[in-house]
Amino acid sequence: MLTAHRALILMALVIPGCGPAPSADPPMATDGVMDLSQWDFETQGTVALRGRWMFRYGELLGPSALRPGDAPTPPMILVPGAWSDVSVNGVRRSSEGFATHALRLTLPDRADDLAIAFGETHSADRVWIDGRLVMERGRVSSSREGELQEVQGRIVTLDGLGGAHTLVVEISNHFQLEGGPLHTPRLGTRSQLRERAEADAHIDFFLIGCLMVIGLFYAALSLTRSDREIVLFAIMALLMALRTAIIKWHVTALLPMGPEVQLRLDYITLIALLPLFCALIEALFPADVPRLILRVAFWYAILALIGPLALDTLTFSSARNFNIVMSLVLAAVSLLFVGKAAFLGRPGARPVLISCLFALGVASHDLASVLRLIPEARELLPIGNTVLAFAHAVVLGRRLSDALSASERLTSSLRDSNALLEERIAARTRDLERLAMTDPLTGLLNRRPLLKLAEAERARAVRSKEAIGLMMIDCDGFKLVNDRHGHEAGDQVLCALSQRFLDLVRSHDLIGRWGGEEFVMIFSTTDALGAEAAAERVRRHVADQPFEVRGGRSLRLTVSIGVALLDDPLESFEDLLRRADQALYAAKAEGKNRVSMAPGEAPDPTQ
């Protein structure tokens, strides 16, 4: 699998080569004459009409500039080029003004379906072929007031012309930094030129689509995440898409826009991208990129934006090359710190560095093309911007993925911790419930849960018409145990006594500590005789066996028991308990260590 930076390198190498293949060694215009009589357009492709054209500055001569049979005469201008590049008698021509350009063109005798493509311009121009006006963009004028700009390129059909022909182009420029034939007309068949234009448009739409998708995705993501780098990147990607649409004139399909507005937006988006780029780099690598770079880029952009916002186009466009150079310098300085981040192994620094170097390279290429230091070529900066955006999208996506993985690990850890905590809470709750329901010394039910369970047992017995009995048990002379042997021995005796009670009760009986040395037992029975026999078994089980305490000592203990039976369905448990307590007092009064039945419940000895 390709790593991110290798994928970027591949993308950077492949995308620029997606355009049409260049023509092989076409001829050049020399002294206003270009001979294409031996050129096969079908097999050899289109031809750029570059070279030296006849040039008349300050004159709008129309078709009379070069009549059939006339030879082109100096001065000449190199196409593509600007008027300011031409010097006549030591005087350099101005970029503002108007001029006529002419070329004697010889075509193959069987040249069918030929056409000439004229590129974009921020001026006005008119074209004659053999004295016939074939194209007029805007309105050519010798004054600023009379000129009307039109920018978009056009294709002019030659209608099967062959042999020698004259091509005359009038241009006026009062709005741009540079005037003249800045873009080379291209000659070829209509299908070739149309395919070339469509291929360029497809590349533009592809780049705009990529930037829009990336920008909109991260813009939507910024609504749920407040990360500064995500917001900055979304704005930068969308601004790159808008700039590509503006400079390629695709935005006019959606919005009515004149040449002046397009030119101002071109400059504004170019300048605004610089502080956004520096801010994004600083947000991605805050430990390596100083904030001074961001401050310088910000204040430079503020000053540079005064031009397209407040000045006329001719004035502010004069600073275009300076703005491009300053942007390249600040971007290059930022890249030094990105290189530092890559050297230190910061995550994502390497793909960002590679994409920035590529974007810086294509921007330098475009600047060299604008300055005519290299032959005219397609503008590559939109491609560089797309590669740059793709790299940042990869880096931010990787960071988001790492953050999501860390969040998932944290969530899993929190889930495990919560499960463990819930388990501990449940265990603690069970312990607290057990402590709330049971006596901490003996482990028997305490008074509150005993009352609740006893009331439920009473209601059940009433519904099923079963008899239940209640024993109120009290230890005889237990105070003497504490006084003679200590409270520790008393506690040991109570624990052992509770265990003896548990040995006798059945699974459906209830036994609890009522308080101190008093106990309550609720049990099922058939009649008073059975209840008294059950109580007697309890009494003997306590009295017959001594209790062992610490130190090897043995203690004997007896209990007195009061017994009451539930014989009235309307009787409450409190009333039943009160009757058992009365029977207990009677057992105490009769000499202790005995069982006493509640009044009216003593068994018939004859039965």
Side-chain angles (χ1 to χ4, degrees):
M1 180 180 294
L2 290 175
T3 61
H5 66 279
R6 290 178 180 172
L8 282 171
I9 294 175
L10 182 62
M11 183 178 180
L13 293 175
V14 169
I15 291 181
C18 293
S23 303
D25 299 327
M28 300 278 290
T30 304
D31 295 331
V33 176
M34 191 171 188
D35 186 0
L36 296 175
S37 59
Q38 303 302 316
W39 189 262
D40 187 346
F41 289 95
E42 293 294 337
T43 60
Q44 293 178 282
T46 62
V47 177
L49 303 182
R50 60 167 55 97
R52 299 181 62 80
W53 290 39
M54 192 180 82
F55 171 53
R56 297 293 184 269
Y57 181 78
E59 299 179 70
L60 297 176
L61 302 176
S64 63
L66 187 63
R67 299 181 183 277
D70 294 344
T73 57
M76 300 288 172
I77 187 173
L78 185 63
V79 177
W83 297 331
S84 57
D85 296 337
V86 180
S87 179
V88 179
N89 297 325
V91 179
R92 187 171 294 276
R93 298 305 186 186
S94 171
S95 288
E96 181 183 3
F98 49 93
T100 303
H101 315 77
L103 178 67
R104 177 80 65 196
L105 191 62
T106 303
L107 301 178
D109 293 334
R110 296 183 179 181
D112 296 325
D113 198 30
L114 292 182
I116 301 178
F118 292 87
E120 299 171 356
T121 177
H122 279 277
S123 306
D125 55 7
R126 286 185 296 217
V127 178
W128 283 268
I129 296 178
D130 294 335
R132 181 170 59 92
L133 181 66
V134 295
M135 185 190 78
E136 185 171 13
R137 288 190 293 183
R139 183 170 62 241
V140 178
S141 175
S142 59
S143 66
R144 180 184 179 91
E145 293 75 16
E147 181 181 325
L148 180 63
Q149 295 173 278
E150 184 176 334
V151 181
Q152 291 176 293
R154 290 191 186 181
I155 296 177
V156 175
T157 302
L158 298 185
D159 295 329
L161 296 177
H165 303 279
T166 58
L167 176 64
V168 178
V169 179
E170 285 184 344
I171 300 175
S172 66
N173 174 63
H174 298 90
F175 296 94
Q176 254 281 33
L177 164 65
E178 291 187 319
L182 303 178
H183 300 284
T184 309
R186 182 168 290 274
L187 176 63
T189 65
R190 279 184 293 184
S191 60
Q192 289 173 333
L193 296 177
R194 188 164 49 249
E195 289 172 2
R196 187 184 184 92
E198 290 176 353
D200 287 344
H202 290 162
I203 294 175
D204 294 339
F205 291 140
F206 172 75
L207 298 178
I208 294 171
C210 289
L211 291 170
M212 286 294 295
V213 168
I214 294 173
L216 291 175
F217 173 79
Y218 279 92
L221 189 62
S222 68
L223 299 178
T224 59
R225 297 181 64 91
S226 58
D227 305 58
R228 188 163 65 99
E229 59 268 28
I230 293 179
V231 177
L232 290 171
F233 176 66
I235 297 174
M236 189 179 78
L238 292 175
L239 193 60
M240 285 178 174
L242 176 62
R243 173 170 172 74
T244 303
I246 289 172
I247 64 177
K248 296 298 183 179
W249 279 93
H250 302 303
V251 73
T252 56
L254 300 176
L255 301 174
M257 181 183 302
E260 183 175 346
V261 175
Q262 187 266 357
L263 184 61
R264 292 183 185 276
L265 289 178
D266 179 1
Y267 277 66
I268 290 171
T269 53
L270 172 66
I271 295 169
L273 279 172
L274 177 62
L276 278 174
F277 170 76
C278 294
L280 179 59
I281 292 298
E282 189 273 334
L284 288 174
F285 311 106
D288 304 298
V289 180
R291 293 187 65 85
L292 178 63
I293 298 293
L294 177 58
R295 294 191 186 98
V296 171
F298 175 79
W299 286 112
Y300 166 72
I302 292 295
L303 295 175
L305 284 173
I306 294 176
L309 292 176
L311 303 177
D312 63 271
T313 57
L314 186 61
T315 302
F316 76 74
S317 65
S318 62
R320 173 184 172 87
N321 293 341
F322 174 77
N323 289 331
I324 293 176
V325 171
M326 282 297 299
S327 299
L328 291 176
V329 169
L330 287 174
V333 173
S334 300
L335 285 188
L336 293 177
F337 296 100
V338 177
K340 173 187 174 183
F343 178 77
L344 295 176
R346 307 292 189 202
R350 184 177 297 179
V352 169
L353 178 62
I354 293 173
S355 64
C356 289
L357 288 174
F358 176 75
L360 186 63
V362 298
S364 302
H365 166 276
D366 291 349
L367 178 60
S369 179
V370 169
L371 298 176
R372 290 174 291 283
L373 301 177
I374 61 174
E376 183 184 19
R378 172 188 172 86
E379 186 176 9
L380 297 180
L381 187 57
I383 297 175
N385 288 339
T386 304
V387 173
L388 186 67
F390 176 77
H392 283 79
V394 169
V395 172
L396 288 176
R398 180 62 180 271
R399 290 193 175 190
L400 290 174
S401 176
D402 292 343
L404 180 60
S405 298
S407 176
E408 290 176 347
R409 289 194 298 270
L410 180 59
T411 301
S412 177
S413 177
L414 289 175
R415 188 182 298 113
D416 294 340
S417 298
N418 286 340
L420 180 60
L421 181 60
E422 289 174 358
E423 182 179 346
R424 291 180 177 178
I425 291 175
R428 182 60 177 167
T429 302
R430 289 191 297 269
D431 292 341
L432 292 175
E433 290 176 349
R434 181 179 56 81
L435 291 174
M437 294 183 63
T438 60
D439 175 56
L441 177 62
T442 62
L444 301 180
L445 293 172
N446 60 28
R447 179 177 295 194
R448 180 176 297 177
L450 183 63
L451 283 172
K452 183 177 180 180
L453 294 174
E455 181 61 35
E457 180 65 14
R458 186 201 69 80
R460 186 197 64 78
V462 170
R463 289 194 303 272
S464 60
K465 298 181 181 180
E466 296 179 2
I468 61 171
L470 185 146
M471 299 183 198
M472 178 70 80
I473 307 170
D474 184 71
C475 298
D476 298 329
F478 187 76
K479 184 175 182 303
L480 294 177
V481 175
N482 287 332
D483 293 344
R484 294 177 182 177
H485 303 283
H487 288 279
E488 184 179 0
D491 290 344
Q492 291 177 351
V493 170
L494 288 176
C495 290
L497 181 62
S498 299
Q499 187 58 48
R500 292 190 184 183
F501 292 154
L502 291 173
D503 292 340
L504 292 175
V505 297
R506 295 162 295 186
S507 60
H508 55 277
D509 296 337
L510 298 174
I511 177 70
R513 186 180 179 189
W514 195 247
E517 62 272 14
E518 289 186 332
F519 299 86
V520 170
M521 182 183 296
I522 301 169
F523 59 99
S524 59
T525 186
T526 55
D527 52 21
L529 185 61
E532 184 179 31
E536 186 62 30
R537 286 195 299 273
V538 173
R539 185 194 67 78
R540 287 198 303 268
H541 190 59
V542 174
D544 292 348
Q545 299 181 25
F547 293 88
E548 300 290 336
V549 296
R550 184 173 298 177
R553 292 169 295 174
S554 296
L555 301 177
R556 287 193 173 275
L557 187 69
T558 61
V559 294
S560 298
I561 304 175
V563 181
L565 294 180
L566 179 66
D567 51 10
D568 184 356
L570 300 178
E571 184 179 23
S572 66
F573 178 76
E574 288 77 5
D575 293 336
L576 180 64
L577 187 64
R578 190 179 303 109
R579 291 196 297 113
D581 192 48
Q582 292 173 356
L584 175 61
Y585 276 103
K588 291 283 190 180
E590 293 173 1
K592 303 179 182 179
N593 191 22
R594 63 184 63 237
V595 174
S596 176
M597 301 295 292
E601 295 182 354
D604 187 353
T606 62
Q607 295 181 352

